[in-house]
Amino acid sequence: AILGGYAGELLASLSFGLFRYPEKFLFWPALALPLLAAWGLERVLAGGRRWVQVAGAAGLLFVLLGAAVRVTAPAVLAGAGQGFERLGQARDEALALLSFQISSWTVALLAAGAALLVAAWAISRRARWSAALIVGAQLALLTQLWPLVVTDETAPYKEPAPWAQRLPERAAVLNTALSFPPWGPDPAYVLESGTRIPLERATALDLDPAPGVLHGLTYPFAPDLEGMQSPFFSLMLFNLPRLKGPQRVNWLRVLGLDAIVLFEDVDIPGLRLEDRAVRFGVESRLYRVESPAPRAWWPDEVREAQSPPAALWAVSNMPDPIASVVVSDPVEHKPGGRVRLLSDEPDRIELEVEGPGGLAIVRRAWQPLFEARTEGRTGGKSLRTVLVDLNLMGIEVPAGKHRVVLEVPAWPEIAAGVVAVLVLVGAFFGLRRTV
């Protein structure tokens, strides 16, 4: 796992993308190490004098190393202080970090040595409680992980941030400090203490996803770090830093963004400054996006793009990206239609569409899993779904008034569940035959 972390791209190539993160290798050690540890503990308890000598010698070695680190710490810090002179004001912070690291090494070495000495004594006693004492010493070492456990009171996060309260329900927002790739200045917060708790409370006020999603905020520009997002969405996302301000605003409107938090003053048509605040030396600004895309609409014009890059360019430079949209396949579209959103659930969307025929658009990520159809007394008719503006879901609707349902069918999940049950039953009978 550690080696995989040093060569992530090689690891991803050799595993065909399965192990892009070395943490995934932890499954196998977590499965095998408890069995190996139990087997090894039995060998140790039955091994006698040799294991007492090994554990005792290792314990003394760690204790001596811990003492050596502690004794040499003043000299190391003095030499480092001279080397850190070039850092200027950051010198004291660097020295404090090094001092903390040396203290951590000292504690870790002394704790490991003490645990090994306890294990050696427990082995030599060969009592019933020897195994429990050894396991207890090992568990005690886990207390060194306590700095990783960061807790905070929930009270500051229970209510929506003041800026969030000024936005409509289920507002779509973006904090550019979290944009990936970055296309704005990175805020340099000045923290007076080593804890991140004040910073987390401050960034929550700047509409960060945590805890923004708990209060109904949505984040349509957030990348999927597991790589599950559409490649067309990635094309837009990774080109945003290269676009000019008005071109970016087009995409903010297309994805229905209501507000954006910036860390610089901008004068871009389509963005209106709402408020500003200073948090830990950083000034943040809340801008409202004017005329974002509604949750469902009927455009005036549908254009065809010959390639995804052509669609990216067309939307970026569209005078009005809501009135005119871009598709990958030709669609016979006439202006003057009307779309009313009846219900909007994760796996099912209902629309009332009336018009001369053409494309109804839903502000929802395009996914092939969705199937569209009309519903009525005379039965339903399947409708074609179309990728719109590299991101959104379009439905080709015939002329007239229709009730349109966009839904993810349940049969793939049912089929997968049936297969899983059959495999489980087969494994159970196979296990009975081998026992």
Side-chain angles (χ1 to χ4, degrees):
I2 295 174
L3 292 177
Y6 284 105
E9 294 183 1
L10 176 63
L11 176 65
S13 300
L14 294 178
S15 63
F16 301 98
L18 182 63
F19 289 110
R20 292 179 298 120
Y21 301 104
E23 296 85 13
K24 293 184 178 181
F25 278 120
L26 292 177
F27 171 78
W28 305 108
L31 183 67
L33 285 181
L35 300 177
L36 293 175
W39 176 64
L41 183 57
E42 291 179 352
R43 291 283 304 273
V44 166
L45 294 175
R49 185 176 181 82
R50 180 183 59 168
W51 290 110
V52 173
Q53 294 173 346
V54 171
L60 289 175
L61 176 62
F62 279 117
V63 169
L64 292 176
L65 286 174
V69 170
R70 183 60 183 172
V71 170
T72 58
V76 171
L77 291 174
Q82 296 178 359
F84 290 159
E85 290 293 341
R86 58 183 176 82
L87 298 179
Q89 295 181 350
R91 174 181 177 275
D92 293 339
E93 182 179 349
L95 279 176
L97 179 61
L98 179 59
S99 176
F100 175 78
Q101 187 64 66
I102 291 176
S103 300
S104 300
W105 290 339
T106 303
V107 172
L109 290 169
L110 293 177
L116 287 169
L117 291 174
V118 169
W121 180 75
I123 296 170
S124 67
R125 304 300 297 177
R126 294 192 182 183
R128 292 183 178 180
W129 43 261
S130 295
L133 186 58
I134 294 174
V135 173
Q138 175 63 28
L139 292 176
L141 294 179
L142 297 179
T143 57
Q144 298 177 77
L145 299 178
W146 71 265
L148 298 180
V149 181
V150 179
T151 59
D152 190 12
E153 298 178 358
T154 58
Y157 307 98
K158 285 185 177 180
E159 296 296 328
W163 282 0
Q165 297 178 20
R166 300 169 60 171
L167 301 177
E169 184 180 1
R170 296 180 61 184
V173 299
L174 169 65
N175 183 322
T176 56
L178 301 177
S179 59
F180 181 82
W183 47 273
D186 188 18
Y189 294 99
V190 180
L191 301 180
E192 299 177 357
S193 62
T195 177
R196 285 184 56 89
I197 291 176
L199 176 60
E200 296 298 333
R201 294 186 181 183
T203 54
L205 298 176
D206 284 336
L207 308 183
D208 272 14
V213 292
L214 298 179
H215 302 300
L217 297 180
T218 60
Y219 296 81
F221 283 86
D224 187 334
L225 300 182
E226 291 293 335
M228 299 297 290
Q229 63 198 26
S230 163
F232 304 111
F233 176 80
S234 299
L235 175 65
M236 177 211 67
L237 194 66
F238 282 89
N239 278 281
L240 280 178
R242 307 176 185 178
L243 300 180
K244 297 179 180 178
Q247 294 174 320
R248 282 197 204 120
V249 171
N250 271 11
W251 288 106
L252 301 184
R253 293 182 61 199
V254 165
L255 269 64
L257 206 72
D258 293 288
I260 182 171
V261 177
L262 295 170
F263 298 90
E264 59 182 342
D265 290 316
V266 297
D267 184 13
I268 303 174
L271 295 183
R272 184 178 72 251
L273 180 64
E274 288 281 313
D275 199 3
R276 61 178 71 230
V278 177
R279 318 187 203 280
F280 292 97
V282 173
E283 185 177 23
S284 52
R285 292 91 166 165
L286 177 67
Y287 282 86
R288 289 294 298 268
V289 180
E290 298 179 345
S291 303
R295 292 165 68 184
W297 80 98
W298 186 279
D300 295 334
E301 179 188 18
V302 175
R303 302 182 185 181
E304 181 185 356
Q306 299 300 318
S307 66
L312 175 73
W313 177 256
V315 176
S316 300
N317 296 279
M318 200 82 71
D320 185 353
I322 309 303
S324 301
V325 298
V326 178
V327 297
S328 56
D329 299 319
V331 175
E332 186 176 348
H333 180 84
K334 298 178 181 178
R338 183 180 63 85
V339 180
R340 186 163 69 97
L341 185 65
L342 302 178
S343 66
D344 186 4
E345 301 175 0
D347 291 341
R348 182 183 172 89
I349 301 170
E350 294 186 18
L351 306 168
E352 183 181 84
V353 182
E354 183 178 5
L359 196 65
I361 302 175
V362 180
R363 203 184 71 200
R364 179 72 72 88
W366 178 82
Q367 293 287 350
L369 287 174
F370 278 97
E371 296 180 358
R373 67 180 186 276
T374 59
E375 281 193 348
R377 296 179 180 179
T378 59
K381 177 183 177 182
S382 295
L383 303 177
R384 183 168 72 112
T385 60
V386 181
L387 173 65
V388 178
D389 291 345
L390 296 178
N391 292 281
L392 304 181
M393 178 73 71
I395 309 168
E396 193 172 357
V397 183
K401 186 175 181 179
H402 306 279
R403 186 184 183 93
V404 177
V405 174
L406 186 66
E407 188 175 31
V408 176
W411 68 263
E413 297 179 6
I414 297 174
V418 171
V419 172
V421 171
L422 293 176
V423 171
L424 179 61
V425 172
F428 175 75
F429 280 105
L431 181 63
R432 287 193 59 184
R433 292 187 61 181
T434 57
V435 174

